Amino acid sequence: MCGIVGAVAQRNIVPILLEGLKRLEYRGYDSCGVAVHQDGLKRSRSVERVAELEIQVGDTGLAGHVGIAHTRWATHGVPATNNAHPHFSSKDDVDRIAVVHNGIIENYEEIRSELQAKGYVFVSQTDTEAIAHLINHLYDGDLLRTVKTAVKRLHGAFAIAVFCHEEPEHIVGARLGCPLVVGISTHENFLASDAMALAGTTDQIIYLEEGDVVDVQLHGVAITDLNDKAVERTVQTVHAYSGAIDLGPYRHYMQKEIFEQPRAITDTLEGVHGFTPDLFGKNAAQVFGQINAIQILACGTSLYSGMTAKYWLEGVAGIPVNVEIASEYRYRQPAVNPDALIVVISQSGETADTMAALKYAKELGHKHSLAICNVATSAMVRETELSYLTRAGVEIGVASTKAFTTQLAALFLLTLTLAKMRGRLSNEEEAAHLKNLRHLPVALASVLALEPQIIAWADVFARKENALFLGRGLHYPIALEGALKLKEISYIHAEAYPAGELKHGPLALVTEEMPVVTVAPNDTLIEKLKSNMQEVRARGGQLYVFADADSRIASSDGVHVIKLPEHYGLLSPILHVVSLQLLAYHTALARGTDVDKPRNLAKSVTVE
């Protein structure tokens, strides 16, 4: 969620800091700020967009060679200037310590009370200010040593960047549970929470590991690990998608990313010529041969991809699957099958609850793990034994689209690989699935061509405050995803149910004012679904049906039908969800909401 940028250079780094914040805007934020050493510590903060902060900085003439900047998504304290980062702590009326922070400090109240008793005055409601005052209180003339001492007092998940009035030549960073990277260049070095913040400035990136503390100076960086031992971390060349921030002909990033899905699927499937374990890592054949079940852990949209995969994995590969919300799993005592493969799914690979659930699963005795992820350098990929990269490219819109469909593609590959290893996939079936996968981008393009018809529906939905989504079997998780998309960006209350559950309660909600979106592929459950649709019509409900061309569902009074070009069998969920993404996007557009930055939400949920 929040974003950090820091720089030490021989040039004025304020433009670099502001550009970095702009590149991190997609993560979601409600305030922003920048601080530099300019004959002492100086800062500028705003509860507006980074563009407004840039004007403010220009008006005040803020400039310097060392500085830090931040975009904040409120956790402790409302969005307000006094709660915005960077936070200062002073001594003898001189601002001495500047801090920016991602994450949550769980024991901040204890630290706050302790420091208040020593005379420190708190002017914000944030946990971050406690860090600034703690470092100030402990400062012994050596900022690096002081930060290391302070970090040992902090409980929770965090990434911080700190600089000091007395030591204006460097920045100290630390990470525990939240991502932080170092950017390397000639006679200037950088800190950031995401390599994208440094795109166009440097492509030489070090990914800090858990417990690392880094001293960033003009001519180099020094890193120590959790045990205070000097370590060398690998410098990687990272092309941080600098072109991804260009909208091109699209109005919003979400729209752009919806239409990038044929390309994203093509890239995700690149090099797939068969369903072999080595797609998932060099030890995958051995691991897959040892497992007897799968435990999927994920949150939000990624959870729904896992729920879809459960139908595939059990029905095709014949392997038992449990899918659980990561934030729930980590706080209960599950029955442990150490021979179950833990599968974690995340676009960013930094999702805090999913990372914590993965760690918990390992502590419980699970031996094998696999990440389905869009970021090769993420903590999740580094922490799992096996991985598959979805190659969706950067996803800037908060509401996930191409990340979801590429996750489904990756999970389908996992299904077929396990099916083949378990003797449940014939050569003819393998060839047919490969053909369908290769045709999938073309099929997606055909669904995208339905946009004009979907826009007409969106104009109706924009005037509603509630909606119901129905699906059966494989498409029940797709109905869940469709409802999530609508509520995320249009703020229409939407719920999804298995269509067979209608008579067990949800039918009480159905009136003429309740649009009911139905995902209706021509599969084995189509006749059952038609009966459920009749239940809706009998109560005066308005049906909006996404049907396959051969499903024999026609438009009539109260039944509005858009027909997808073809039925796509097991891969049908990937096609149907695109139509629901378009419906949500155009409904939000008609309602005038901020499509790419929906209220109260952030792209990368790196705190609990």
Side-chain angles (χ1 to χ4, degrees):
M1 35 184 66
C2 307
I4 289 174
V5 191
V8 180
Q10 293 175 323
R11 53 177 166 158
N12 176 23
I13 46 82
V14 170
I16 296 171
L17 299 179
L18 292 172
E19 181 61 28
L21 293 187
K22 290 177 183 176
R23 293 184 182 278
L24 295 178
E25 284 188 288
Y26 76 98
R27 296 167 72 97
Y29 67 104
D30 44 44
S31 63
C32 51
V34 59
V36 297
H37 197 285
Q38 185 180 26
D39 297 324
L41 303 190
K42 302 289 191 302
R43 68 181 168 187
S44 185
R45 299 182 292 176
S46 174
V47 292
E48 304 296 332
R49 293 298 183 191
V50 175
E52 297 301 318
L53 176 67
E54 189 171 29
I55 294 170
Q56 190 173 304
V57 165
D59 290 343
T60 59
L62 199 68
H65 301 296
V66 177
I68 52 180
H70 192 263
T71 52
R72 174 180 185 256
W73 189 84
T75 53
H76 297 73
V78 299
T81 303
N82 66 303
N83 288 327
H85 299 210
H87 285 281
F88 284 180
S89 183
S90 60
K91 182 178 182 181
D92 300 328
D93 296 325
V94 175
D95 290 325
R96 187 189 203 188
I97 300 293
V99 174
V100 292
H101 160 231
N102 288 356
I104 289 178
I105 305 303
E106 294 175 353
N107 61 333
Y108 84 99
E109 290 179 325
E110 173 191 330
I111 295 170
R112 184 184 182 106
S113 297
E114 174 189 324
L115 293 171
Q116 283 175 327
K118 296 180 183 298
Y120 285 88
V121 177
F122 284 73
V123 296
S124 78
Q125 290 77 52
T126 67
D127 51 347
T128 307
E129 191 179 6
I131 303 173
H133 290 319
L134 178 64
I135 293 172
N136 191 8
H137 177 65
L138 296 173
Y139 184 65
D140 62 0
D142 186 322
L143 182 63
L144 177 61
R145 183 167 60 222
T146 301
V147 170
K148 289 178 180 178
T149 302
V151 162
K152 294 174 183 177
R153 289 284 314 274
L154 304 178
H155 300 162
F158 56 85
I160 61 173
V162 188
F163 75 100
C164 177
H165 172 68
E166 283 90 340
E167 301 178 53
E169 72 283 355
H170 67 139
I171 298 171
V172 176
R175 72 151 291 185
L176 190 68
C178 291
L180 195 64
V181 305
V182 178
I184 305 296
S185 192
T186 305
H187 306 309
E188 55 185 26
N189 294 295
F190 309 92
L191 267 178
S193 50
D194 189 323
M196 178 181 280
L198 305 178
T201 301
T202 181
D203 61 2
Q204 299 299 295
I205 302 296
I206 296 171
Y207 288 86
L208 297 180
E209 298 186 8
E210 282 292 277
D212 281 356
V213 177
V214 60
D215 186 10
V216 180
Q217 301 189 26
L218 192 65
H219 300 296
V221 300
I223 304 172
T224 54
D225 65 11
L226 193 60
N227 300 313
D228 202 21
K229 179 183 178 182
V231 291
E232 294 287 334
R233 301 296 186 210
T234 304
V235 180
Q236 303 181 42
T237 300
V238 176
H239 300 293
Y241 335 106
S242 57
I245 62 172
D246 298 325
L247 273 171
Y250 301 102
R251 294 183 63 177
H252 298 91
Y253 289 112
M254 184 179 179
Q255 185 188 28
K256 177 187 178 189
E257 289 154 11
I258 290 171
F259 278 83
E260 285 177 340
Q261 287 176 111
R263 189 275 308 158
I265 291 289
T266 298
D267 290 349
T268 297
L269 299 176
E270 184 179 4
V272 175
H273 305 294
F275 308 117
T276 57
D278 58 358
L279 292 171
F280 300 89
K282 63 181 181 180
N283 297 323
Q286 179 181 357
V287 171
F288 290 168
Q290 294 174 354
I291 63 170
N292 60 16
I294 290 176
Q295 171 72 64
I296 295 176
L297 303 170
C299 301
T301 286
S302 296
L303 176 72
Y304 299 150
S305 69
M307 290 175 66
T308 307
K310 175 181 173 73
Y311 287 91
W312 288 334
L313 286 160
E314 292 194 341
V316 179
I319 187 166
V321 178
N322 186 43
V323 184
E324 191 153 355
I325 301 168
S327 58
E328 291 295 315
Y329 175 84
R330 61 181 290 200
Y331 291 118
R332 71 179 189 87
Q333 295 178 317
V336 176
N337 172 8
D339 294 322
L341 174 69
I342 296 293
V343 177
V344 286
I345 310 171
S346 168
Q347 187 281 137
S348 67
E350 306 287 351
T351 306
D353 285 314
T354 309
M355 283 295 298
L358 170 63
K359 181 180 178 181
Y360 182 51
K362 289 181 176 181
E363 291 171 352
L364 291 174
H366 284 282
K367 296 176 289 187
H368 301 302
S369 56
L370 163 69
I372 304 293
C373 184
N374 191 36
V375 182
T377 52
S378 66
M380 195 169 290
V381 171
R382 295 197 302 271
E383 292 294 325
T384 51
E385 186 178 16
L386 306 173
S387 64
Y388 193 91
L389 297 177
T390 53
R391 297 182 177 86
V394 68
E395 189 178 62
I396 291 177
V398 167
S400 183
T401 53
K402 61 180 179 175
F404 179 70
T405 50
T406 53
Q407 286 170 356
L408 289 177
L411 289 162
F412 193 66
L413 292 179
L414 176 64
T415 298
L416 297 179
T417 298
L418 291 172
K420 186 176 180 180
M421 288 187 67
R422 295 163 73 88
R424 295 173 62 99
L425 190 71
S426 68
N427 291 337
E428 294 76 13
E429 289 170 328
E430 180 174 11
H433 286 308
L434 274 171
K435 181 180 178 181
N436 285 341
L437 284 168
R438 288 170 182 151
H439 182 64
L440 188 55
V442 176
L444 282 170
S446 298
V447 177
L448 292 169
L450 299 172
E451 187 178 31
Q453 297 177 56
I454 294 171
I455 290 172
W457 282 13
D459 290 338
V460 175
F461 275 71
R463 299 190 294 272
K464 305 296 183 180
E465 292 302 325
N466 301 281
L468 195 62
F469 284 69
L470 301 178
R472 297 203 73 146
L474 261 177
H475 295 81
Y476 165 52
I478 300 307
L480 286 166
E481 174 63 8
L484 176 62
K485 284 292 153 286
L486 190 67
K487 72 180 74 169
E488 278 183 310
I489 61 171
S490 74
Y491 315 145
I492 293 171
H493 171 247
E495 294 188 60
Y497 288 91
E501 285 294 293
L502 262 178
K503 61 181 75 68
H504 296 286
L507 202 56
L509 296 170
V510 174
T511 69
E512 286 189 8
E513 291 303 308
M514 173 74 81
V516 180
V517 180
T518 308
V519 184
N522 190 22
D523 59 15
T524 56
L525 291 170
I526 188 64
E527 296 305 323
K528 295 288 186 183
L529 185 63
K530 288 179 181 178
S531 297
N532 302 140
M533 290 164 57
Q534 290 300 320
E535 292 171 346
V536 171
R537 282 303 300 132
R539 276 76 181 176
Q542 295 287 312
L543 284 163
Y544 292 82
V545 185
F546 288 103
D548 290 341
D550 54 356
S551 60
R552 298 188 302 281
I553 299 175
S555 295
S556 60
D557 182 37
V559 181
H560 315 274
V561 180
I562 291 177
K563 292 199 172 183
L564 276 64
E566 55 187 310
H567 176 55
Y568 222 65
L570 289 173
L571 290 170
S572 174
I574 297 178
L575 299 189
H576 273 273
V577 78
V578 174
S579 61
L580 300 180
Q581 293 169 355
L582 286 169
L583 178 61
Y585 170 74
H586 284 289
T587 301
L589 197 63
R591 286 169 71 95
T593 63
D594 191 340
V595 174
D596 288 330
K597 300 183 183 71
R599 67 189 182 201
N600 304 331
L601 300 180
K603 183 63 180 174
S604 299
V605 185
T606 55
V607 297
E608 183 181 354

